[in-house]
Amino acid sequence: MQKNKLVIANWKMEFSHKQSIDWLKLYYPELSQLATTQPVELVVCPGFTCLPEFKKYLINTPLQIGAQDCSSYPHGPYTGQVAATSLKELNCHYCIIGHSETHSLTEHIAKKAALLMHNKIVPIACIGETLAEKQAGKTVEILQQQLTPILRAAQESNCTQIIIAYEPVWAIGTGVAPEAYDLKILCHQIKLYCSQFLDADKIRLVYGGSVNSKNCEKWLKIPEIDGFLLGKASLDFQELKKIVVLVSNG
Ligand code: PGA
């Protein structure tokens, strides 16, 4: 079955709690309408404190809620961490893990993936090389090293759905993004590698890193790309709307 393309809004810590709720109240009717009429799955990932309020507003809409991280432990004395079970109770269908800004250890990312899958939350597992790794010609090796424990965890958890977010560290928040040709080759290699562990219909691959309404069209032509993980561009409603429309037409 052909799945809808994904647009994932990672709000990071850009908005305060109140700013996030005000944004949601203002735009959720139009966003929800957009998600109803366009063949796009729209996921909004606000800060942890906003999740209960998002659950209230979005419960009967096609918009999905995602968290920005979770603990690698199921429960226990882990100050400041948020458990996958709590995210489930707050109606999160998705959770980003391994974002380079969280500086997570690879083995923790695989544990987070397993806990999320156990709670029927779809992991959005970020992978990506640094500029130094890219310049040393190590991109593929690094991506495979990052992917292996995550895909093993997915295999062991009888995963039904996982999203891999390819986010080169050098492209996040920099305005610099890969050439379409290079991205196409890498995405092909990522999907091929993933297929050694999981059936193709269980994996969706999104690209993230300086995506905006001006540059996303050329990447939409890459058949391996199933959508985008947006940072900055997702904070501006008009920009987000343009990208959703482009993705649904692409
Ligand atoms: P950016 O962030 O779109 O602002 O580069 C992407 C991300 O970090 O997920």
Side-chain angles (χ1 to χ4, degrees):
M1 194 183 74
Q2 178 82 30
K3 290 207 179 93
N4 282 342
K5 286 226 157 66
L6 281 156
V7 175
I8 306 163
N10 175 13
W11 280 2
K12 311 189 179 189
M13 204 178 68
E14 298 285 6
F15 290 143
S16 72
H17 175 82
K18 186 177 176 307
Q19 284 171 329
S20 305
I21 306 299
D22 288 348
W23 192 108
L24 179 75
K25 283 187 190 162
L26 194 59
Y27 297 122
Y28 89 88
E30 205 177 330
L31 263 192
S32 153
Q33 168 77 3
L34 209 58
T36 313
T37 52
Q38 310 285 338
V40 169
E41 199 172 334
L42 196 47
V43 184
V44 187
C45 307
F48 284 126
T49 61
C50 305
L51 294 173
E53 201 83 357
F54 271 56
K55 176 182 176 184
K56 221 165 68 193
Y57 281 95
L58 302 186
I59 193 111
N60 289 318
T61 75
L63 301 172
Q64 303 284 355
I65 309 170
Q68 295 180 15
D69 200 2
C70 73
S71 176
S72 55
Y73 301 99
H75 55 82
Y78 302 105
T79 305
Q81 300 196 21
V82 177
T85 41
S86 304
L87 300 180
K88 185 72 198 167
E89 288 163 8
L90 292 169
N91 218 34
C92 284
H93 283 95
Y94 294 92
C95 179
I96 299 170
I97 50 171
H99 192 288
S100 59
E101 288 161 4
T102 65
H103 303 286
S104 309
L105 298 173
T106 311
E107 62 263 32
H108 286 183
I109 302 168
K111 285 187 186 154
K112 291 177 187 189
L115 283 168
L116 290 170
M117 289 184 267
H118 180 73
N119 282 283
K120 309 260 180 293
I121 298 171
V122 179
I124 302 168
C126 301
I127 56 165
E129 80 286 4
T130 62
L131 186 58
E133 288 161 345
K134 175 181 155 66
Q135 286 168 341
K138 289 189 168 163
T139 300
V140 174
E141 186 191 327
I142 294 294
L143 297 183
Q144 291 186 352
Q145 272 172 20
Q146 294 173 344
L147 277 168
T148 306
I150 300 166
L151 295 169
R152 286 223 177 96
Q155 251 181 344
E156 284 159 17
S157 309
N158 292 322
C159 160
T160 52
Q161 222 196 120
I162 186 164
I163 297 164
I164 303 296
Y166 172 51
E167 296 212 305
V169 178
W170 50 270
I172 297 175
T174 58
V176 183
E179 294 300 327
Y181 179 74
D182 297 338
L183 190 56
K184 182 176 164 41
I185 293 174
L186 269 181
C187 288
H188 180 73
Q189 282 171 318
I190 294 170
K191 278 222 163 150
L192 202 62
Y193 189 69
C194 290
S195 69
Q196 294 178 28
F197 296 81
L198 294 173
D199 293 342
D201 65 339
K202 294 181 177 159
I203 303 160
R204 282 190 284 176
L205 176 63
V206 298
Y207 168 74
S210 297
V211 177
N212 58 48
S213 62
K214 295 193 177 68
N215 63 17
C216 71
E217 255 180 305
K218 60 176 187 272
W219 294 319
L220 282 166
K221 297 192 184 87
I222 301 173
E224 285 85 357
I225 291 189
D226 301 305
F228 297 114
L229 176 50
L230 310 174
K232 193 164 180 276
S234 68
L235 304 170
D236 173 346
F237 175 71
Q238 295 307 333
E239 177 70 354
L240 177 61
K241 190 172 153 183
K242 273 191 212 160
I243 295 172
V244 171
V245 172
L246 287 167
V247 170
S248 49
N249 293 336

